């Protein structure tokens, strides 16, 4: 499997998922207390609460010596349904998304959308991508809610592992030089 080098996840998402699970379990218990009044409603509520209960979770990215794994920490993740694995040997470099310059039309569109949408629908939390360029030319995006500093640690660690693989070295090298050479 390889040695685990780095594990990153969002602490805020983790605690929010625990809070959401607690609320769903509370709703299920409350509906059980009223089972005698309406058994059909009890089963509908249990079904509607059980599905999100097993799917709610937080993102986690683990970097091993030979691969990068993205998974969601949920009860369904025990079945390894939503796990993505990419091997270091198949990667050429990793980077974070680079914000592009906004055009006047994009800025105007953002202003109009902000004015038209109710304030409770505008979210400030985004899912940012970590971009992996594969050797075969494909580009893979890991969308995640991990902090920018954590995402940068992941990209730096993966680039170091790629550098070590390319140079046949077991020590950490100068990744900035390596990245400027391949770009």
């Amino acid at each position: 499997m390889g040695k685990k080098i780095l594990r990153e996840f969002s602490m805020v998402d983790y605690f929010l998922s625990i809070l959401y699970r607690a609320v769903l379990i509370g709703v299920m218990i409350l509906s059980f207390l009223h089972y005698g009044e309406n058994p059909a409603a009890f089963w509908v509520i249990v079904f509607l609460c059980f599905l999100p209960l097993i799917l709610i979770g937080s993102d986690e990215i683990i970097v091993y010596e030979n691969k990068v794994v993205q998974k969601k920490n949920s009860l369904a993740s025990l079945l390894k349904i939503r796990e993505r694995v990419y091997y270091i040997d198949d990667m050429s470099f990793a980077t974070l998304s680079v914000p592009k310059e906004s055009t006047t039309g994009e800025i105007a569109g953002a202003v109009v959308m902000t004015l038209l949408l109710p304030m409770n629908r505008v979210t400030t939390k985004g899912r940012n991508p970590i971009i992996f360029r594969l050797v075969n030319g494909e580009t893979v995006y890991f969308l995640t809610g991990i902090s920018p500093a954590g995402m940068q640690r992941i990209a730096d660690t993966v680039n170091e592992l790629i550098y070590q693989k390319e140079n046949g070295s077991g020590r950490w090298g100068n990744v900035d030089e390596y990245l400027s050479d391949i770009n």
Side-chain angles (χ1 to χ4, degrees):
M1 173 169 239
K3 180 181 169 191
K4 187 186 296 187
I5 296 175
L6 179 67
R7 178 179 175 242
E8 289 290 335
F9 65 97
S10 171
M11 194 66 82
V12 172
D13 285 347
Y14 177 73
F15 285 119
L16 281 176
S17 69
I18 290 173
L19 177 68
Y20 294 149
R21 288 177 186 153
V23 167
L24 289 170
I25 289 171
V27 168
M28 289 170 61
I29 290 171
L30 186 63
S31 68
F32 179 73
L33 295 175
H34 296 282
Y35 177 79
E37 297 170 19
N38 193 346
F42 165 76
W43 289 109
V44 169
I45 290 171
V46 165
F47 178 74
L48 291 177
C49 289
F50 183 73
L51 286 177
L53 183 70
I54 62 171
L55 296 176
I56 288 175
S58 61
D59 291 328
E60 177 180 29
I61 297 178
I62 304 170
V63 179
Y64 294 93
E65 289 177 326
N66 60 345
K67 64 184 173 182
V68 179
V69 178
Q70 179 189 27
K71 64 182 183 176
K72 193 158 189 88
N73 289 335
S74 65
L75 297 175
S77 70
L78 297 174
L79 303 173
K80 298 192 186 299
I81 295 172
R82 298 196 57 193
E83 187 173 279
R84 295 173 59 193
V85 178
Y86 291 95
Y87 291 91
I88 299 294
D89 292 339
D90 298 337
M91 295 182 188
S92 60
F93 69 90
T95 186
L96 300 181
S97 65
V98 178
K100 65 178 186 114
E101 295 291 324
S102 298
T103 63
T104 308
E106 290 173 336
I107 294 171
V111 169
V112 168
M113 287 177 60
T114 303
L115 293 174
L116 292 177
L117 291 174
M119 288 309 290
N120 60 354
R121 288 194 177 176
V122 178
T123 61
T124 56
K125 181 184 177 224
R127 295 177 61 81
N128 303 312
I130 298 174
I131 302 166
F132 297 111
R133 178 66 119 177
L134 302 181
V135 175
N136 64 7
E138 283 184 55
T139 303
V140 177
Y141 299 91
F142 280 7
L143 293 176
T144 179
I146 296 173
S147 70
M151 291 172 34
Q152 186 63 51
R153 280 191 296 273
I154 292 168
D156 291 344
T157 303
V158 169
N159 285 328
E160 286 288 344
L161 291 170
I162 293 169
Y163 178 81
Q164 288 176 6
K165 176 193 69 139
E166 293 284 325
N167 294 313
S169 168
R171 67 178 188 83
W172 299 93
N174 189 349
V175 173
D176 294 329
E177 277 181 25
Y178 173 71
L179 288 177
S180 66
D181 288 345
I182 64 171
N183 287 333

